[in-house]
Structures are given as C-alpha cells and as structure tokens.
Amino acid sequence: MQDQDYQRQLESLCQDGLHRKMLTVGSAAGRMVQVNGEKKVIFCSNNYLGLAGHPNIIKAVKEGVQEWGFGSGGSRLVCGNTLPCEHLQGRLAEMLGFEACLVLPSGYTANHAILTSLAGEGDLIVMDKLVHASIIDGARASGAELRTWPHGTTDKLKRLLEQGGYRQVFIVTDSLFSMDGDKAPLTELVALKNRYGAILIVDEAHAFGCIGPEGKGCAAEAGVLDKVDIFMATFSKALGGAGGFIASSRTIIDYLVNKARSFIFTTGIPAINCLAADAALDIIQQEPHRRERLHGNSDYLRCRFLEKKLDFGQSLGYIIPIILGPAEKAIQISKVLWYQGFMAPAIRPPTVKSGSSRLRISVMSEHTKADMDGLCEALEQAIQEKL
Ligand SMILES: Cc1ncc(COP(=O)(O)O)c(C=O)c1O
C-alpha cells in the first residue's frame, strides 16, 4: 500500500468519528492536570488512588535512581535482572499466596507472555467477550483455538467445556472490566475450571490495589484467590507506575522465563520502576483509607448519576461508563465537558463495540465532592444540549 492508501483510510476514520489524536499532558498526574495547556479535573485516569505523584514514591524513585541509575542495561536473562526486581517478585508472590512471580515491563507484555507460551495448537482459549486487548492479542498469537463467551453469562462457556476435545482449555477473564466497571463471576469460573480441569487465568489489572483485603483484588474479595491458576496485574493503574506481573506456581513461572518471547526478548524493567511499585505496595497496605475514599467517592458519583437518570450499565465501582451510543455523540459530549473544565475523553470502537461509544468516567480517591457535583451538572447539561 502507498501513503495515499493509508491517507484514505485515515480520512474514512475521520468521517466515522473514529480518528484518534493524542493530547499533551503538561503537569504531573493527579486529580487536576494541565492538558494541552489548560487545567482540567480528570475523570479518565487509572491512577485510582492518586499514587502516581505520592511523595513516598517520588522519594523511593529519587533515591533509587542515585543507586541504580535508570535503564537496566539488558534483558532479564542477560544482565538486566536487578535486586529490586527480585525483591518485588518475592514480595508479590508472598502477598498473594503464590509460589512465584515474574515481573515484566508492562501488563500488555505479561498477558502476551502467558498466552503465547502456555497455549498452542490443540488447545482452546475461551474468554469473556470483553477482555482486554492484550489478552486477545496474546490469544491470537498463541496458535490455540480461540472462542469467547458473551459478557455477563456462562452458558456458552459451560457448553464449550462439556464438549471437550482439546489438549488443554484455558479460561481467561478480567476480574474488573476496564470499560464497563463490572466484575467477573469468579466463584462460578473457579467451579467450572475445577469440574472440567481447565486452567483459570485472571487479569486483575483494574482491581489490584483497590479491591479486596489489602487491595489484593477481586479473587481475594470473593475468597477464591488460592483457586486461581495464573494471576496477572499491572503497576500502571492503582500503583501509579509502570510494569506488569504474573503470579503462579514455580513451574509455570520457570516455564515462562524459558519460553515467553515477550519476557526473553525485551530489556528488563528499570530497577526504579520496581522500587516505585514496592513503595506503592507499602502505601496500599498502610493506608486503607485511600481505598475507602475511592469506594465512597464511587458510590456518591453513581448515586448522583442515578438521580440524573444516566445509564451506567452494570458498573458497581470506580469505573463508571456513561453509554451514549454513536461515536459522534460521545465526542460532542466529551467536548462540552472539556469546556466546563473536565477531562473525560470519548471511548469509541475498536476499544468498545460499535454503537456503545461512551465516556468512561473513572473516579479517584483524590476527587472532591465539588469535582463530582460539577461533573454531574456538566454532564446532565451536555446530554440535554446534544440530545
Ligand atoms: C485489563 C487490562 N489488562 C492489561 C492491561 C495492560 O497493562 P499495561 O498498561 O501495564 O500494559 C490493561 C491496561 O491497559 C488493562 O486494562
């Protein structure tokens, strides 16, 4: 294809309201951020607990960079496996009750590592229709057969498991869904995986740090953490940093170290990312009030949305989708909010399915009542204007 062919495709994205452009952030992550030169209260961040700018984490990074420098200097299997990374892996494994843990440069590479190394030809990967793109990409690249079950149901999953005929079946789900804010039926999935001898992989990216005892996630909250075969999460959401990890048996982790191409062929995560995640875990364990504030804020905002009769699907938590339908409508409403001082970008296909474009409102523990009341009024007004 030539440049002009790509140009035509870009124009077609523009016509469908699906063209994307990056905004430029000009200040540290927090509840109020300078974006494209203007200060906005942000309702779109995954920095749920406000840790991205926490003084203890900044201190850990400053001290860490003095001692460790910045880059790790090599892949983990060559010379990029640092003491802070080893320490963090041990801490995460112990905290979550798994035999071992593997830290990777991102959550995306963690999911890719799990699926491409463990599953292959003759296997079935079956997953909730709304799992994160990194799971879909890993599953597609694995060579295994790939099926989905409709979100919020398990009938099709049961049928597929009953049918059998595969070398190994992998059941994969997000625990807290990133665009809908509802939770997977983990207790039911555990019962099914036990009955049919499947392997259960749970992506706790959006729950880790915020949900369950000590922020251990939805499986811990549901009392089934010890039944999960492979636990995955990231440092890029509640922990306010960057990096991902996988917790599982010693054998699975050793297998990934030896087989996962997205682990082997990439430079090891910088030591300071691990020191930052370690400091974030300290705060999460020592300051439960941050989680309480986050959940209190989410309850408050959902109540306000209910009063205004705004549709937020099945959301129970701090990810609150305001489902608007056409992409163009979501863009218009997001623009009105922007002029009122709020940042909540439109989420459109391919991130969500066609006709379900939305504002993905994400709450932070740092939001004030005035922030949330202001957003609510602005949203009601914007929707009335654009109806
Ligand atoms: C459910 C889920 N899994 C995995 C990822 C990937 O994590 P990371 O941003 O650390 O690559 C994300 C975030 O984008 C996510 O929402």
Side-chain angles (χ1 to χ4, degrees):
M1 282 213 299
Q2 306 282 315
D3 249 29
Q4 68 252 33
D5 298 314
Y6 293 115
Q7 187 56 40
R8 262 198 299 279
Q9 291 194 29
L10 284 170
E11 281 157 15
S12 146
L13 284 178
C14 288
Q15 276 159 16
D16 296 340
L18 299 179
H19 186 257
R20 295 162 183 238
K21 256 203 218 132
M22 289 183 275
L23 302 173
T24 306
V25 173
S27 64
R31 66 169 255 288
M32 181 86 104
V33 170
Q34 195 183 74
V35 190
N36 281 5
E38 296 178 38
K39 279 213 151 179
K40 304 288 169 194
V41 177
I42 59 167
F43 275 99
C44 53
S45 169
N46 297 324
N47 177 24
Y48 303 119
L49 299 175
L51 298 189
H54 193 287
N56 293 9
I57 297 181
I58 293 172
K59 182 168 176 279
V61 169
K62 273 188 178 164
E63 289 172 3
V65 86
Q66 291 293 342
E67 187 174 354
W68 296 95
F70 179 54
S72 70
S75 65
R76 295 274 306 280
L77 285 171
V78 180
C79 58
N81 184 36
T82 61
L83 272 174
C85 188
E86 282 285 332
H87 167 79
L88 180 62
Q89 289 183 163
R91 179 175 184 176
L92 286 164
E94 193 185 332
M95 168 185 173
L96 295 166
F98 287 87
E99 284 176 2
C101 168
L102 184 66
V103 166
L104 289 99
S106 70
Y108 185 98
T109 48
N111 275 333
H112 207 269
I114 296 168
L115 291 156
T116 55
S117 346
L118 301 180
E121 220 173 294
D123 296 331
L124 172 68
I125 298 174
V126 56
M127 54 205 199
D128 187 290
K129 180 101 182 133
L130 298 188
V131 291
H132 188 256
S134 53
I135 295 176
I136 299 170
D137 293 355
R140 282 183 182 154
S142 71
E145 189 176 325
L146 178 55
R147 304 290 292 271
T148 58
W149 74 80
H151 185 63
T153 66
T154 49
D155 294 350
K156 184 170 171 194
L157 169 63
K158 278 181 208 146
R159 275 203 308 281
L160 286 166
L161 290 168
E162 267 162 22
Q163 196 179 295
Y166 298 95
R167 189 176 62 170
Q168 178 64 58
V169 179
F170 297 85
I171 300 174
V172 195
T173 189
D174 291 12
S175 64
L176 181 71
F177 286 89
S178 57
M179 292 298 143
D180 290 67
D182 57 343
K183 291 179 189 169
L186 290 177
T187 309
E188 206 179 328
L189 297 183
V190 163
L192 287 171
K193 80 112 191 169
N194 282 341
R195 181 161 355 136
Y196 294 98
I199 291 179
L200 178 62
I201 302 170
V202 180
D203 177 336
E204 295 257 26
H206 289 274
F208 187 63
C210 299
I211 291 180
E214 289 183 38
K216 290 182 196 173
C218 293
E221 182 190 46
V224 294
L225 181 54
D226 60 340
K227 307 290 187 302
V228 170
D229 298 297
I230 300 174
F231 180 109
M232 174 271 164
T234 161
F235 310 140
S236 65
K237 319 287 184 210
L239 275 64
F245 72 91
I246 303 161
S248 189
S249 68
R250 207 174 305 287
T251 304
I252 293 285
I253 296 300
D254 192 22
Y255 189 81
L256 293 175
V257 167
N258 283 278
K259 294 281 187 183
R261 296 175 66 84
S262 64
F263 167 76
I264 297 169
F265 298 107
T266 194
T267 297
I269 186 170
I272 55 168
N273 289 43
C274 298
L275 293 165
D278 210 29
L281 289 176
D282 288 343
I283 301 165
I284 284 168
Q285 287 175 329
Q286 290 158 14
E287 299 183 10
H289 61 85
R290 287 181 178 271
R291 284 195 292 286
E292 284 153 23
R293 231 169 36 219
L294 175 68
H295 296 299
N297 279 352
S298 318
D299 291 345
Y300 179 77
L301 194 57
R302 274 185 285 104
C303 278
R304 293 292 331 262
F305 285 165
L306 264 183
E307 275 166 30
K308 306 273 181 204
K309 300 194 170 34
L310 294 171
D311 172 14
F312 53 82
Q314 303 300 312
S315 165
L316 293 169
Y318 40 90
I319 299 170
I320 314 179
I322 300 293
I323 299 160
L324 296 162
E328 199 49 49
K329 184 173 177 186
I331 293 169
Q332 290 305 324
I333 289 176
S334 167
K335 265 191 196 152
V336 177
L337 291 185
W338 174 268
Y339 293 123
Q340 303 274 341
F342 300 102
M343 185 177 178
I347 306 290
R348 299 163 276 165
T351 309
V352 293
K353 82 170 190 283
S354 177
S356 77
S357 290
R358 64 195 63 189
L359 303 182
R360 173 194 181 267
I361 306 291
S362 56
V363 183
M364 294 174 65
S365 55
E366 314 303 283
H367 282 138
T368 63
K369 194 163 171 287
D371 294 337
M372 295 185 282
D373 288 340
L375 174 78
C376 215
E377 299 307 324
L379 193 52
E380 183 182 38
Q381 195 187 328
I383 289 176
Q384 275 167 5
E385 274 175 25
K386 299 292 167 192
L387 271 180

